[in-house]
Amino acid sequence: MKKISVIFLLLLISLTTVLYVTWIKPPIVEKASAEEIHSDFYDVLLVLLDPYARKVINKEYPNRSYALWDAEILEVKRLTGGYSHYDFTVKVKYDTYTGPFNPPEGPITLTFHVTTEAVSVIKIQK
């Protein structure tokens, strides 16, 4: 009886080791495609922040434009913890250009402060 228990235990350990070693792990994606990054929620956030970004960019750089499909949300951070607190900072990078055929002017990164009361731009980085 003791011999059968030892054999069963060794068999169980070997099976567990084989399963652990051969378990298929999902591949790590180095660079995600634009379709994978731009989910509906991602795009809605860009659209809702667009009027504030356009106003600041047009004031600071009157000749520059940008396209929403080329904007990138870098960070969304909740400032006050817990459920039902809606106080965020959102950092978005906009690739700007002057005219349709000119080379890019470079990125402008805006940091927004978003609450239920208002949205404001708190930092502009070139």
Side-chain angles (χ1 to χ4, degrees):
M1 183 74 170
K2 187 175 181 180
K3 189 176 182 181
I4 293 174
S5 297
V6 170
I7 291 173
F8 178 73
L9 184 62
L10 288 173
L11 184 63
L12 185 63
I13 290 171
S14 347
L15 181 63
T16 305
T17 304
V18 167
L19 287 175
Y20 178 75
V21 170
T22 60
W23 190 264
I24 298 173
K25 296 176 183 159
I28 298 173
V29 177
E30 291 294 323
K31 179 128 174 115
S33 70
E35 288 145 0
E36 292 170 329
I37 293 173
H38 285 262
S39 68
D40 291 342
F41 288 109
Y42 188 97
D43 287 344
V44 164
L45 185 56
L46 287 175
V47 167
L48 292 174
L49 294 175
D50 182 56
Y52 306 100
R54 193 163 303 282
K55 182 177 178 182
V56 168
I57 291 173
N58 286 341
K59 182 179 178 186
E60 293 289 320
Y61 308 98
N63 297 327
R64 292 193 190 183
S65 297
Y66 63 90
L68 279 182
W69 59 267
D70 205 20
E72 180 181 355
I73 298 174
L74 302 176
E75 179 182 77
V76 176
K77 187 169 28 172
R78 185 184 291 265
L79 297 177
T80 53
Y83 177 74
S84 186
H85 291 124
Y86 305 104
D87 190 17
F88 299 92
T89 58
V90 181
K91 187 184 277 189
V92 183
K93 181 182 77 155
Y94 297 94
D95 290 325
T96 61
Y97 56 89
T98 304
F101 300 109
N102 291 331
E105 293 286 341
I108 296 174
T109 303
L110 300 179
T111 304
F112 298 92
H113 182 231
V114 180
T115 66
T116 56
E117 302 296 320
V119 174
S120 60
V121 176
I122 57 175
K123 189 174 183 182
I124 303 169
Q125 294 173 297
K126 180 169 181 205

